[in-house]
Amino acid sequence: MCGIVGYIGREEAAPILLDGLKRLEYRGYDSAGMAVYDPEEGLTVAKAKGRLSVLSELTEGGKTVRGTMGVGHTRWATHGVPSDVNSHPQVSQSGRIAVVHNGIIENYMALKEFLVANGVDFVSETDTEVVAQLIEYFYEGDLLQAVGRVLHRIEGAYALGILCADEPDKVVAVRKDSPLILGYGQDCAYLASDVTAVIRYTREVSYMEDGEIAVLTRGGVRVYNALMQPVVKEHHTVDWDIDAAEKGGYEHFMFKEIMEQPDALRKTISPRIRDGEIVLEGLSLSPEQIRDIRNIHIIACGSSYHVGMVGKYNLEKLLRIPVEVTVASEFRYMDPIVDGRTLAIVISQSGETLDTMAALREARSLGAHILSIVNVVGSSIARESEDVLYTWAGPEIAVATTKAYSTQLVVLDMLGLYFARVLGTVTREEHDRVIGELLTLPDKVARVLTQTEQIQYYASQYFNHDSVFFIGRNLDYAMGLEGSLKLKEISYIHSEAYASGELKHGTISLIEDGTLVVALGTYGPLFEKAMSNILEVKSRGADVLGLTTEDHREQMAQVVDGVITVPETHPMLLPSLSVVPLQLFAYYVALQRGCDIDKPRNLAKSVTVE
Ligand code: M6R
């Protein structure tokens, strides 16, 4: 989704803005722009449809846009097509107010009509232009006051960065339901929708809360709440390095992040296992509260939802508590059965997904205890949860999630195991076996990663298929969902995941000569049934790529066209292994097809609109 960067200091702003925007490219965008103020040249706006390189060329790397304060933006179109004029910054009629905006102003039509009736001319189709025009409409020599008046009138979600040519010593920022961070430097201050944009310049940051307004000056940052009372912000130090957000010699972030999984898993698992027991710092639930849980709702979107699907199988088996997994965008509108004895597990890599955040609030308002599994420290979902278990995967840049998914899985497994100990629903022997397997998981993932060449070969055989089916039962079905999403989001091949038993209820009519079926049969107790389903599709002409454990390799190889294996482990941990070949398969297929792997079309890393 859209990205914001702001700077005020003593350096030329434009190169800093361009560099920050470059680091936000992964979020997805279709145009870019910036506004910079200089006492001699006034407010200069440069913006263009297309990649950031277009803006960079237009401004000669920022050289033609002079000034030491400014705001920059990458736009992911919502209101109005991607075009130069719809790009941000949007400026007021006089050209004195410039605004960059993430989010959606829901009542923009009514506000636009009001402004047009008062003689204001609009040039773009955007909701953002309404904000710039409205600030000018209310401006009486005090930007902060004008912004305050506008905030009482606009509805929706927004993060705003605002410049005013009449007040050339400040950048104003506002946040509601869309992330914004403040960065602190020597005689300078930064603004960004994502820490990645400013990490090169500062590690000292604050997270803005909903309703807060910040005034950035060269002398520091002042923050006010919605009542315009000063707020003292906590400063946080970002503990990861710029290298973590760079490709480090890899061709794509996605591949780098796939290869980082053993390390990410180690960092997420090891500190949480002490003397053979799971230790979950961040969990406030007492044993009594855990025993009082009547039902669990897992709420998430996309791949995080798929983690929830795995979680449902594992948690219900371990805990004998009903678990429902719901796509966040549905949860808030479905009148869910939630009360004070419900645990809501909210899963999100970014911690900023708007649908997930809205569902979290819905669950909380109905009385649920909110426990989130989040990767981005200090993100909105983390801050609004009672308990947070972080996945220590480090920054994930590729739109297609890989290492965040894998670490979410193991955090959910560890949570389940911890609860099972409290509830007495797991034997000591079983518990210790899973702990032992958790500790060896990073090495086993590393072993799976040695098969890249073979998976690349299969990708070269199948990359030109138009349609792919992923089939499996139980945990293998849950994995198929993720394998299918990975493939379609980055390769644009139509693919679907089916519970194998469902094939005969309709889908099997789509299987014909040469249809590719990826058949997952890692789950031992149902291996024979998986084999029967493979034979069903084979006998109708499908090409089958099988995925199973090392022990079952031989048996599966007899009936499929290609087979990939994962090491044996405890059944509940199999998804942590089997997801890896599926990620690699999607990656290599997309590579063969020449797709923009890290920034697939129409997609964004962090989905901050409904
Ligand atoms: O940041 P989140 O985990 O809340 O994001 C949820 C989905 O948008 C995300 O998992 C999406 O499906 C990915 N592109 C999948 O690779």
Side-chain angles (χ1 to χ4, degrees), residues 397-469:
I397 307 293
V399 165
T401 180
T402 53
K403 60 176 180 171
Y405 174 94
S406 295
T407 50
Q408 287 167 349
L409 270 186
V410 292
V411 170
L412 202 52
D413 289 335
M414 286 189 282
L415 181 72
L417 206 56
Y418 178 84
F419 277 15
R421 278 281 282 155
V422 172
L423 299 176
T425 51
V426 67
T427 63
R428 180 85 236 183
E429 196 190 357
E430 182 81 347
H431 172 271
D432 291 353
R433 194 179 149 218
V434 181
I435 295 274
E437 287 297 332
L438 272 168
L439 289 168
T440 60
L441 205 56
D443 291 338
K444 288 187 176 173
V445 168
R447 228 160 89 195
V448 178
L449 288 171
T450 59
Q451 295 180 67
T452 47
E453 251 176 57
Q454 194 198 357
I455 296 167
Q456 187 167 20
Y457 167 75
Y458 290 134
S460 73
Q461 300 295 294
Y462 298 120
F463 76 94
N464 54 6
H465 279 62
D466 296 332
S467 184
V468 180
F469 291 90

Side-chain angles (χ1 to χ4, degrees), residues 310-321:
V310 174
K312 177 180 168 68
Y313 287 107
N314 282 341
L315 295 182
E316 286 192 336
K317 198 160 185 175
L318 271 173
L319 310 177
R320 311 313 299 161
I321 294 176

Side-chain angles (χ1 to χ4, degrees), residues 187-199:
D187 297 335
C188 66
Y190 303 86
L191 173 69
S193 47
D194 184 327
V195 171
T196 328
V198 296
I199 184 75

Side-chain angles (χ1 to χ4, degrees), residues 1-21:
M1 301 267 115
C2 308
I4 289 179
V5 192
Y7 170 77
I8 179 164
R10 313 235 174 257
E11 309 283 320
E12 280 300 304
I16 294 173
L17 298 178
L18 282 172
D19 179 64
L21 293 177

Side-chain angles (χ1 to χ4, degrees), residues 254 300-306 347-354 356-357 373 375-376 381 396 398-402 404-405 408 482 485-486 489-490 600 603-607:
M254 183 179 176
C301 300
S303 292
S304 298
Y305 165 77
H306 295 156
I347 308 177
S348 176
Q349 185 285 130
S350 61
E352 300 295 349
T353 302
L354 193 79
T356 310
M357 174 60 108
I373 298 176
N375 193 41
V376 178
I381 288 175
E396 192 180 64
V399 165
T401 180
T402 53
Y405 174 94
Q408 287 167 349
E482 177 58 8
L485 176 60
K486 269 311 67 98
E489 72 177 322
I490 59 167
L603 289 180
K605 182 66 182 164
S606 169
V607 184

Side-chain angles (χ1 to χ4, degrees), residues 364-410:
R364 191 177 51 203
S365 73
L366 294 169
H369 183 94
I370 311 290
L371 182 158
S372 65
I373 298 176
V374 173
N375 193 41
V376 178
V377 176
S379 56
S380 306
I381 288 175
R383 283 179 294 127
E384 291 209 17
S385 302
E386 282 152 294
D387 296 345
V388 187
L389 297 177
Y390 281 110
T391 49
W392 291 310
E396 192 180 64
I397 307 293
V399 165
T401 180
T402 53
K403 60 176 180 171
Y405 174 94
S406 295
T407 50
Q408 287 167 349
L409 270 186
V410 292

